Structures are given as C-alpha cells and as structure tokens.
Amino acid sequence: MPIRVQILLLPETMLSTLTGPLDLLSTAGTLWPLLMGTEPQTLFDVELISSTREPLCFAGGLTIHPQKTLDQAGPADVVYVPSIFITPDGELPASVSLASNWLSKQHSDGAMLCSACTGAFVLAETGLLKGLPATTHWAFGELFQQRFANVLFKNNAVLVVNSDARLTTAGANASWQDLILHLIKSTANERVAEETRRLFLIDNHDSNQGAYSHCNLQLTTADKEVAKAQSWLQANLAASLPVEQVVQQSALPERTFKRRFKQHTGMTVIAYMQMLRIDAAKTRLVTDNDSVEQIASDVGYQDPSYFRRIFARETALSPSQYRRKWK
C-alpha cells in the first residue's frame, strides 16, 4: 500500500517548496524504473490539503486546486508543511491557527509531521516542538526564537529529525531536498532515495546554513542601552573583553544588562559578538586576498587555530573551503 502523504497548502505557501517535493514524491519508485526498463512501483499517494476546495492563485498567475479540505482529509502517514511567506514584522497569517489545530489532530492520529523553511512556524504553533530541537530559514531564526522560546532552536542546522516524536524540520528553502530524500529513505528505502537523488541531480549539502547566512544588523528600538551595545560591538570587532566593556558602558548591573540584551537580541553578548566576527570574516574571505591568519586577527581572533575551529563549527567548512566555495 502506498504511503499516504498530505501536503498542507496555505494561501501564503512558497511554491518552490511545494512543487519540488510534489515532483519527487509523485515519481519516487516509478520514473527511475521506467527509464531503466524495470517494474515501477507507486510508493507515495500524495494529496494537496487546504482549508477550502476553492482554487488558490499564486504569483505569476499559477492556480492550484486543493484536492481535499482539512475536514475532508482522512488519516495520513506523513503531513508535509511547505514554507510560507512571513512579513518582517513576524505577523503570522490567519490561516496558520486553523492549520496548526489540524496538524495537532493528524499527529495525534499517528502521522509524521515535517516542515520546510518557514513552515516550521506553522508546525511550532501546534506546541508539539516544545522542548525539542528544530530549525527554519536562518534569516528568521531570531524571530522564531522570540516566538517559540520553549523550542531548542538550531539556527545552522539543515535538517533536524526527531524520530521518536515524529517531527522533522528543515532549514532555508532548498533544504526541502534534504527533507524529502530523508522522507523517502525512512519511509520507503535507501535505494529509491538514491535513485531519486540521481534522477533529479540533487547533491548533499557539504555545509550547514551557517555557510549561507548573513547576520541581521538591525538595532533594537525597544531598549536604548542594548541598541548602544549592539552598535559598539559592530564597530569594535577586534576589541578585547567586549562583554565587560559594553556592560561597563551601559552603567547597568551586569545581570540586568545581560538579561535585557538576550531578551532583545535572542542571544548572549558573547554569542552576538561571535556572530558579528564570523560574518565579517565571511565577507573578507570572499572580497579580498588577505591570509586567513590576517583576517582572523582583524575580526578579533588572535589565535588562528581557535578561529578555524569556531568558523568550522558555525559553517561546517574551513575558512579556506568557504573561500573556494564563494569567491
């Protein structure tokens, strides 16, 4: 019996994370055998589920017709949530609340839930990710942490699998490929996943999201002392003892300042400084020809070996690999 997969279709769905997975799941087990002259086998029964049966119109005039409503959808083995468009202010579409209730029911009925990119916001609204690791698009990491503080957020992760909880989240847009191949491998078999990879020319990610991300340098408008510290840190990457200096400049008790800084930025002062330094190093590695040692020193790391370890931890690439990848 084919594996029952339901794809949640919202008016705000980003189509690249819908149509690609639809192609892979619809052809897994059939197209490769047809090309190779062997017996095809339909492995996945895929349905598009939405709150209405009315056609949904997307950018460029593309219209998609859902096959069933949320009320009509029966039980599923897998429910997949594509990415959705989220405005910079973080306001979630009204459709998310209704969808999250439906997702909770499908999960309680035994379905595996998975999301791509900002689809993690829909999944997290169910409350099912509480206390579990998860990821989403790197640019929405701060917003995700502020909205779902009880989720163990993994900003650099491409794919986070919670097998026992039947919950999986994928990172920025193209990581849907990693998610769908994992889905095929875990629910069908590894051979079909590899055939699908070859057929659609999909490579493994040789790095994590940290190799693609760029830090958000927007200053908070809600706390002038935190904004002042953010500005100073950005202008003084190579400063020694940066935490002590911004605490002193704030004239606040250390614990108070650190609490307010994390509240408004989503990270500790030292983590924020490290983000700025690594981001500056990424730019330098691509835009000039200075040695790794010189760049490390300029962004605040006097020990090149330590810099290389931190850089590799954040990007899954060495500085030299990063330079070759992007320069």
Side-chain angles (χ1 to χ4, degrees), residues 185-261:
K185 180 179 177 180
S186 60
T187 59
N189 61 64
E190 188 170 356
R191 175 184 56 80
V192 174
E194 184 58 29
E195 291 170 353
T196 304
R197 179 194 302 281
R198 290 170 180 248
L199 190 61
F200 286 87
L201 214 65
I202 298 174
D203 285 332
N204 285 315
H205 280 98
D206 60 355
S207 57
N208 59 34
Q209 289 199 90
Y212 298 82
S213 64
H214 183 72
C215 64
N216 182 359
L217 300 181
Q218 294 182 6
L219 305 183
T220 179
T221 59
D223 190 314
K224 68 176 184 178
E225 294 300 334
V226 173
K228 179 181 175 182
Q230 288 178 283
S231 182
W232 187 90
L233 291 170
Q234 292 169 19
N236 296 273
L237 293 179
S240 60
L241 304 176
V243 178
E244 289 81 348
Q245 292 201 54
V246 291
V247 169
Q248 184 178 15
Q249 291 172 20
S250 73
L252 295 170
E254 182 175 352
R255 291 183 62 183
T256 300
F257 173 79
K258 289 182 176 180
R259 174 180 55 78
R260 282 165 56 172
F261 191 93

Side-chain angles (χ1 to χ4, degrees), residues 47-69:
E47 293 181 318
L48 296 179
I49 310 297
S50 187
S51 59
T52 176
R53 287 291 299 276
E54 295 298 315
L56 296 178
C57 298
F58 295 91
L62 181 63
T63 300
I64 296 181
H65 297 259
Q67 293 159 289
K68 290 182 179 178
T69 66

Side-chain angles (χ1 to χ4, degrees), residues 78-91:
V78 178
V79 178
Y80 166 65
V81 185
S83 63
I84 61 171
F85 179 78
I86 298 178
T87 56
D89 62 9
E91 188 70 25

Side-chain angles (χ1 to χ4, degrees), residues 285-286 317-327:
L285 287 165
V286 174
L317 297 172
S318 71
S320 296
Q321 289 172 325
Y322 184 90
R323 173 172 267 168
R324 288 194 297 269
K325 182 180 181 70
W326 296 111
K327 191 171 177 62

Side-chain angles (χ1 to χ4, degrees), residues 9 22 96 133 155 177 181 193 205 218 235 254 271 273 293 309-310 317:
L9 182 61
L22 190 58
V96 170
N155 192 53
Q177 299 172 359
L181 289 175
H205 280 98
Q218 294 182 6
E254 182 175 352
M273 188 57 154
E293 291 75 14
R309 289 198 300 272
I310 293 295
L317 297 172

Side-chain angles (χ1 to χ4, degrees), residues 46-305:
V46 185
E47 293 181 318
L48 296 179
I49 310 297
S50 187
S51 59
T52 176
R53 287 291 299 276
E54 295 298 315
L56 296 178
C57 298
F58 295 91
L62 181 63
T63 300
I64 296 181
H65 297 259
Q67 293 159 289
K68 290 182 179 178
T69 66
L70 302 178
D71 293 334
Q72 293 171 338
D77 299 305
V78 178
V79 178
Y80 166 65
V81 185
S83 63
I84 61 171
F85 179 78
I86 298 178
T87 56
D89 62 9
E91 188 70 25
L92 293 185
S95 60
V96 170
S97 178
L98 182 62
S100 64
N101 292 332
W102 176 76
L103 286 169
S104 295
K105 182 180 184 306
Q106 294 299 85
H107 187 263
S108 66
D109 288 342
M112 175 198 305
L113 305 185
C114 52
S115 65
C117 197
T118 50
F121 282 79
V122 186
L123 196 52
E125 278 289 308
T126 66
L128 294 169
L129 287 172
K130 180 179 180 180
L132 295 174
T135 190
T136 188
H137 192 296
W138 58 263
F140 291 88
E142 181 179 342
L143 178 62
F144 189 90
Q145 291 177 84
Q146 291 172 351
R147 190 176 186 94
F148 307 108
N150 57 12
V151 178
L152 305 178
F153 184 62
K154 304 294 183 183
N155 192 53
N156 286 338
V158 172
L159 191 67
V160 176
V161 180
N162 296 289
S163 299
D164 293 340
R166 292 178 283 113
L167 298 166
T168 299
T169 53
N173 197 291
S175 60
W176 67 259
Q177 299 172 359
D178 303 79
L179 171 60
I180 298 302
L181 289 175
H182 165 75
L183 182 61
I184 295 172
K185 180 179 177 180
S186 60
T187 59
N189 61 64
E190 188 170 356
R191 175 184 56 80
V192 174
E194 184 58 29
E195 291 170 353
T196 304
R197 179 194 302 281
R198 290 170 180 248
L199 190 61
F200 286 87
L201 214 65
I202 298 174
D203 285 332
N204 285 315
H205 280 98
D206 60 355
S207 57
N208 59 34
Q209 289 199 90
Y212 298 82
S213 64
H214 183 72
C215 64
N216 182 359
L217 300 181
Q218 294 182 6
L219 305 183
T220 179
T221 59
D223 190 314
K224 68 176 184 178
E225 294 300 334
V226 173
K228 179 181 175 182
Q230 288 178 283
S231 182
W232 187 90
L233 291 170
Q234 292 169 19
N236 296 273
L237 293 179
S240 60
L241 304 176
V243 178
E244 289 81 348
Q245 292 201 54
V246 291
V247 169
Q248 184 178 15
Q249 291 172 20
S250 73
L252 295 170
E254 182 175 352
R255 291 183 62 183
T256 300
F257 173 79
K258 289 182 176 180
R259 174 180 55 78
R260 282 165 56 172
F261 191 93
K262 187 169 185 179
Q263 175 186 350
H264 292 289
T265 67
M267 61 185 75
T268 63
V269 181
I270 194 64
Y272 189 87
M273 188 57 154
Q274 179 176 290
M275 175 190 70
L276 294 175
R277 286 173 168 174
I278 294 299
D279 203 63
K282 290 178 185 176
T283 300
R284 289 281 301 279
L285 287 165
V286 174
T287 58
D288 64 42
N289 296 315
D290 288 342
S291 68
V292 171
E293 291 75 14
Q294 182 62 54
I295 292 173
S297 177
D298 290 348
V299 301
Y301 294 101
Q302 299 308 311
D303 182 349
S305 296

